[in-house]
Structure formats: structure tokens, C-alpha cells
Amino acid sequence: MEKELFLLQEELGNYTYQPGAYRYFTIFEQKQRTISVAPFRDRVVHHALIQILEPIFECSFIYHSYATRKDKGSHKAIEQARCFLRKNRWYLKMDISKYFDNIDHGILNTLLAKRIKDPLILALCAKIIAQGGDGSRGLPIGNLTSQFWANVYLDSLDHYIKDRLRISAYLRYMDDFCLFSNDKKTLKDLVPVLTVFLDNSLGLHLKDRATLINTALHGLPFLGVRIWPALIRIRRQNLVRSLGKIRKREKEYITGHISHQRYRCSIESLIAHVKHWNTHILLVSQLCKSNPDRPRPV
């Protein structure tokens, strides 16, 4: 490993480093996604690069951007959405169509150049960006750099909403974002404004079916749960998926494909995620219903 690290350091130092080919696999969770796996040495470069870039951009990100950031995450995004629902009667939920596939390399490189002044770092970023996607567009899902750059790309949207449109009740988790108000017309008028901004400034388009204006009384579907001012429930399809994973891990353990330790950690992780919301009784009842002989959890 030490030999490989020194070789990698030398390539980066004399600017001969070239990213390797990705390995791809497909997952099916709600929708089909293609995950790109970079060679291990490239992932070392990605982590080293993000250690340099993160402090530069972190200070400019808005507070209520929650994806792939330290001390943030989906649970905090959901809790903040509930706080906004308690103070606002209406919400506007929007989602970007095929976000990672449609990130424009030229626009992303321009956004990076606004904050990074080292031409060698910019050249390395451009080389990694060009390696993924299709031609001049797209970032590979699975890279640490892709997740970070995806936040950088939509940071201009965040500041447009907060600074130009003066919407204080706003949050974003990657390409899912929500705005809150006590006036339905205010939110309705924002839809064409945000559509034009995304198209003209970032080359992105909204999912028409995912644009939703509704009241807090009907609940906000967000990040796999439905949120009310006083209650959070996991969405049924997500509960079914979690139960399916639990049964799959149980079968793998029974057939000897995984160890008891891995089985236990996996089950505890899945249950902990589900029961974080107001669904523990439902989860236990579903588990016992699927297998009456299973001991009832304490």
C-alpha cells in the first residue's frame, strides 16, 4: 500500500495522473439506478481532493442544505421540514429530473473556478469530471466527488431562493427541495420562476409529476416518509422494502451466507432506521404477521 501511495503521489505531483475505468452495477430501489465504482486508487484521490475543497465551499452553503454534509443528513432534514410545517400552512415540493445525469460539465467547472484559484486543482477536478457521465453532461453516482459537486451545483439555486426571492422557509436534500408559506398563491407563482432559473442557469428541468403544492394537514412526502406537524410516518413502500431486506438477511443467515455478527448488525441498522419515526408498533406487527413463530421483540 505504501508503494502505491508514493506512486500515486508522484503522478499527482508531475501531472501524469489519469483516472481509471469505472465498474458499474444496477440497483432497484424505487427506481433503477446505475452505480459507478471507481478503482480504489481513484477513490483515494477523491477523498484527498474533497479534504481540500470542502472547507472552501462549506462556508458558502446555506444552513438548510442537508445532503452529504457533516452534522446534517436525512433525519435532520425531515425534522426541519416538520418545524417548517408547524409554522406554515402550505408547502411546495419539487424534484429535479435525472439530476446527476444532467449536470453540465462546463457549468460545474465554471462554478468551481469561482472559488478555487489554483489552476492545478481545477485541472484535476476537470479531469475527474470529464471521466464520468456522457460527453459533456453527467456525474457518476457513487463517487464522493460527485456527491460533493452535486451540492456545489445547486448552491446557486439555494442562494437564489434565499437571497433573491427572500424565501426563508426553504430546505434541500440533494435534488429534492421544499418551500413553505402561509400563502398558497406565493408558492404557486414560484413554480414558473424556479423552472426558468433552473433551465437558464443550470440546464436542469423539474419533474412535472413531482411538483406538489399541498397543505400541512395532508402531510409532506419527503425522503421516504410522510411528515405532518405532529407526526412522521414511514411511507408504505419504504416499510415494505425494509421488511424485505430484513427477511433477505434472515434467509442469508439461515443458509450460512453471512455471519451472526453481520446478520445482527444489519437487522439492528434496518430496524433503527424504521423505528426512528412513529412506526415501531407497525414494524413489530408486520414482522410477527410475516412469521407467527418469530419471538416478539421486547
Side-chain angles (χ1 to χ4, degrees):
M1 182 161 35
E2 184 179 42
K3 178 182 177 182
E4 290 296 328
L5 285 172
F6 279 122
L7 178 61
L8 189 57
Q9 183 185 45
E10 181 182 351
E11 291 179 10
L12 290 168
N14 59 25
Y15 319 119
T16 60
Y17 165 76
Q18 290 292 337
Y22 287 101
R23 176 171 56 85
Y24 301 96
F25 67 91
T26 303
I27 61 172
F28 300 87
E29 291 190 357
Q30 290 187 307
K31 58 183 179 181
Q32 180 176 322
R33 296 179 186 273
T34 300
I35 306 299
S36 307
V37 182
F40 186 81
R41 71 193 312 266
D42 290 346
R43 281 178 271 164
V44 174
V45 174
H46 297 169
H47 280 262
L49 182 60
I50 294 305
Q51 287 182 17
I52 296 172
L53 299 183
E54 190 174 49
I56 298 173
F57 286 91
E58 180 64 30
C59 59
S60 70
F61 290 157
I62 66 167
Y63 183 81
H64 293 309
S65 170
Y66 287 92
T68 64
R69 295 177 64 195
K70 294 177 181 177
D71 300 320
K72 298 291 183 178
S74 59
H75 287 177
K76 289 190 176 181
I78 291 168
E79 289 292 351
Q80 183 58 50
R82 181 163 68 166
C83 290
F84 282 142
L85 283 177
R86 287 172 175 170
K87 299 176 182 178
N88 298 274
R89 184 183 175 191
W90 294 89
Y91 67 81
L92 165 62
K93 179 182 179 295
M94 311 181 89
D95 188 3
I96 295 173
S97 177
K98 298 180 179 179
Y99 176 49
F100 278 83
D101 291 338
N102 287 306
I103 291 177
D104 186 280
H105 292 178
I107 295 175
L108 177 56
N109 285 319
T110 300
L111 293 172
L112 293 174
K114 289 181 178 180
R115 302 298 301 275
I116 303 169
K117 302 309 176 185
D118 187 332
L120 302 178
I121 294 295
L122 283 174
L124 177 59
C125 291
K127 188 176 291 187
I128 296 173
I129 291 169
Q131 180 72 6
D134 181 15
S136 62
R137 283 183 174 272
L139 292 179
I141 299 176
N143 278 2
L144 178 64
T145 49
S146 296
Q147 295 172 1
F148 178 77
W149 288 330
N151 264 344
V152 172
Y153 201 79
L154 283 182
D155 185 53
S156 57
L157 170 68
D158 297 339
H159 285 283
Y160 179 73
I161 292 173
K162 299 282 287 185
D163 304 337
R164 294 283 299 278
L165 301 180
R166 300 293 182 181
I167 306 296
S168 57
Y170 163 76
L171 61 83
R172 179 175 63 83
Y173 188 93
M174 200 52 73
D175 59 320
D176 291 333
F177 54 98
C178 305
L179 300 90
F180 304 82
S181 175
N182 283 311
D183 181 25
K184 180 181 180 180
K185 186 177 184 303
T186 297
L187 296 178
K188 189 174 181 179
D189 291 343
L190 285 172
V191 175
V193 174
L194 295 175
T195 300
V196 171
F197 175 83
L198 286 168
D199 187 17
N200 293 346
S201 300
L202 299 174
L204 299 173
H205 306 284
L206 293 168
K207 291 180 185 175
D208 292 334
R209 295 183 179 179
T211 299
L212 176 64
I213 298 178
N214 212 330
T215 66
L217 293 176
H218 288 90
L220 165 63
F222 186 55
L223 300 181
V225 299
R226 184 171 286 273
I227 309 166
W228 287 269
L231 185 70
I232 301 175
R233 291 285 192 193
I234 191 169
R235 297 176 70 181
R236 179 169 180 79
Q237 56 264 45
N238 292 77
L239 177 64
V240 171
R241 190 180 304 111
S242 295
L243 291 170
K245 289 180 179 179
I246 290 173
R247 297 185 187 105
K248 181 180 178 182
R249 293 292 178 269
E250 183 179 46
K251 184 177 180 180
E252 289 174 342
Y253 171 60
I254 292 173
T255 57
H257 287 86
I258 60 173
S259 66
H260 179 268
Q261 180 66 23
R262 183 178 175 187
Y263 166 70
R264 180 175 178 178
C265 290
S266 180
I267 296 299
E268 288 178 351
S269 174
L270 287 165
I271 292 178
H273 174 70
V274 173
K275 76 176 184 181
H276 186 82
W277 317 120
N278 307 111
T279 45
H280 182 56
I281 295 176
L282 177 61
L283 174 65
V284 171
S285 66
Q286 289 291 327
L287 284 172
C288 294
K289 182 179 179 181
S290 65
N291 186 353
D293 297 328
R294 187 196 310 272
R296 194 174 284 270
V298 178

